Structures are given as C-alpha cells and as structure tokens.
Amino acid sequence: MRLFFSTDHVRNSTITNEQGQVLYKVITPFRPFFMKGTSTIWKITPNTPPLPYSTKKANEHEPNIELEPDGEDSDDPDIAPVAEDIHAIQFDGDEEEEEIILDMQDHFAQLAQIEFHSFQSSLIRWCGLNKLGRGEVSTKEFIPSRGITRRTRTFTGPDDRAYRWHLGMRVCKLYLESEPKKPVAQYHRYSLGLAPGKRPRPGFLEINLSKSGSSRENTGTDNHIEHEFERSNLDGDIISPELLDTIIITFIYVEKLRRAREQAGKKDLRWNY
C-alpha cells in the first residue's frame, strides 16, 4: 500500500491512495517556535448512504394513467396535460435529487490531534472516530523513546503487536518488534525528478503488513474506508482502519521529531563552516 502526501510538509498535507482517493488530511496552523503547535488529522468519512431515489413523493402526485401503445395516436385531449404533469413531477424532484447527491458525498471528520510541546511530553487526542475511542494520552506513555540516541519510538498497535519507529537521518521506518530487520512501513521523500529518465513524484508512505496483523471485522464507515485500503494494497494485504489510523498518526509525530533533528544538524553544520 502506498499513501501519497500532497506536499513534503507532512503536517500540512492531503493524503491519498494510489487511485487518487483522498483518505486523510493534516492541518497544522503556524505558531511561533515558543508556542505549542497542534496538528489535526482529519479522516474521510462517507455519509450514511441514502436509500435509492424514493418514488413516494412522485407517487403521491402521479395520476393513474395507462399510456398509449407505441405507434398509435390518440385524440384523447387529456394526454397532453398528463405529459405536462410528468414534467412537473420531474422538476419538483430536482431539489430532492440534489440533496441526495450531497448526502452521498464524503466528508472529513476529526480523527485525532497531536499537541507538540518543546519542554514536556506532547499529547495525542483521539476524537472517537474509530474503535480507538476518545481520550488524551501523553506521547511519553503512548510512544516512548528508546535507546541512548532516542532515535527509536515504540508503541503497541490495536492488533496488540509491538511496533517500533526508527528515526533515520532522512526517513522514518516502522518495524515490528518480532521482525526487527524487515520494515513494515517506510516513508519515501518527494523527488524533483532531476535525474535523466526520472519524473517528479510526491512523497509517500509505503506500508507492507501481513494479513495476520489485521482485522476484517468492520462495519459502517470503517468498512467503506477498508475497501479503499484493499484496492490500494497491491500485495493483497488488508490493514484494519484502526491500525492504519495509528500508523498515520504516529508517523506524523515521529516525522516531526526527525525533521527537527535534521534541521538542527544543518544549522550546526553551517555554524561549523
């Protein structure tokens, strides 16, 4: 599965699958460095699919008319008014059809927020959109750092498996603790396509998870979104909506930490020269 980011600034980006279907968007308003910043992650959620266009309203006004057989003319003066009535019924239904089309459009709902703090633990707020529930948890508790260099962040997924984000020099990679040498997710930074034969491409998060770590038991909104994920995954693997949500949110968090280190390193390098 590949999820594409509309910009390389992942905290202000729209996330789509390989078919171009928008799945998430991330918005982070600008704040001065001494103020806390908050990233809001929105998830696409379809409205409850309405019933097919109901003829109830039309039936209330529709006269009980037997149409003339094809190829036969009639001198009945009532035929013309009937045609006018049918046209009026269709016109009256235009507004109702418009409302149905609007009801079928997908909308965004808040999935989570990440409140970044500089001198204390950041916070993740779940907005109750999925089975992960609603509440607030500190990153120190939910995704603590490991190691002397603090380049590793671990968390337990909704599938009860332990995961580990490694904050590399240029990209973040996600591993299962049970398979520490094979990344299950990795970010690929955007490419300008300057090399001969190369085309520009946006950054994308590539996810490869086995079916054993996923749950197919989903209904409603989750079921709709899951179908999009199934079409996105070329390997046929299925990722539960809760697990994918968790991967996206934790990636937004760790990528911000990694880029802060990268920017600090560049400043140090310029200072040294």
Side-chain angles (χ1 to χ4, degrees):
M1 174 191 296
R2 291 183 176 182
L3 299 180
F4 293 88
F5 289 74
S6 59
T7 73
D8 197 47
H9 303 283
V10 299
R11 291 192 298 148
N12 279 296
S13 188
T14 299
I15 305 173
T16 60
N17 63 12
E18 292 175 279
Q19 288 72 39
Q21 169 70 34
V22 177
L23 301 179
Y24 302 90
K25 68 178 178 180
V26 188
I27 299 176
T28 307
F30 172 77
R31 293 289 186 274
F33 73 93
F34 54 86
M35 296 179 62
K36 62 184 179 183
T38 300
S39 295
T40 303
I41 297 91
W42 300 77
K43 181 178 179 179
I44 199 74
T45 58
N47 278 358
T48 303
L51 295 174
Y53 178 74
S54 174
T55 56
K56 180 180 179 181
K57 182 177 179 180
N59 288 337
E60 290 177 355
H61 303 282
E62 185 176 359
N64 187 11
I65 299 294
E66 291 185 6
L67 299 179
E68 292 288 333
D70 292 340
E72 295 185 11
D73 296 331
S74 173
D75 296 331
D76 190 342
D78 291 334
I79 290 182
V82 168
E84 292 177 3
D85 289 344
I86 293 175
H87 177 72
I89 293 168
Q90 292 175 345
F91 183 79
D92 291 340
D94 286 346
E95 292 184 2
E96 187 171 345
E97 288 180 7
E98 263 184 45
E99 292 178 2
I100 291 175
I101 292 173
L102 290 175
D103 286 341
M104 294 177 66
Q105 292 179 352
D106 293 339
H107 299 277
F108 283 99
Q110 278 195 22
L111 173 64
Q113 286 186 324
I114 307 174
E115 186 177 292
F116 294 95
H117 294 248
S118 300
F119 304 106
Q120 57 183 342
S121 179
S122 299
L123 299 174
I124 295 178
R125 296 189 187 94
W126 299 102
C127 300
L129 188 60
N130 55 26
K131 297 177 183 177
L132 297 173
R134 182 185 297 271
E136 181 177 280
V137 63
S138 69
T139 54
K140 183 179 180 180
E141 177 184 351
F142 181 73
I143 184 169
S145 61
R146 292 287 185 268
I148 299 175
T149 60
R150 302 173 65 87
R151 285 189 174 274
T152 299
R153 294 272 175 168
T154 60
F155 68 94
T156 301
D159 55 355
D160 294 326
R161 297 199 290 181
Y163 292 85
R164 168 170 52 88
W165 277 108
H166 175 69
L167 285 64
M169 295 296 295
R170 286 187 52 80
V171 296
C172 290
K173 296 181 181 181
L174 179 66
Y175 298 85
L176 276 167
E177 290 285 18
S178 59
E179 300 179 18
K181 295 184 178 180
K182 181 182 178 182
V184 296
Q186 176 178 345
Y187 183 66
H188 299 262
R189 300 181 72 157
Y190 81 102
S191 173
L192 293 175
L194 299 179
K198 298 291 184 179
R199 294 182 179 180
R201 63 160 176 76
F204 64 92
L205 184 64
E206 186 172 17
I207 303 174
N208 295 292
L209 272 171
S210 62
K211 295 180 181 180
S212 59
S214 305
S215 171
R216 300 196 62 167
E217 188 177 351
N218 294 288
T219 56
T221 297
D222 290 345
N223 196 27
H224 168 84
I225 299 299
E226 182 181 6
H227 292 329
E228 296 297 334
F229 299 154
E230 288 182 25
R231 288 197 291 269
S232 300
N233 199 335
L234 299 179
D235 296 331
D237 296 339
I238 300 170
I239 302 176
S240 70
E242 291 80 18
L243 179 55
L244 187 59
D245 293 346
T246 304
I247 291 175
I248 291 294
I249 292 166
T250 55
F251 169 69
I252 297 299
Y253 172 68
V254 298
E255 179 65 8
K256 192 270 183 185
L257 301 182
R258 191 205 63 77
R259 295 204 179 197
R261 286 173 176 255
E262 182 181 14
Q263 293 172 1
K266 289 179 179 179
K267 291 178 181 178
D268 291 343
L269 186 63
R270 295 190 185 115
W271 178 261
N272 292 335
Y273 281 91

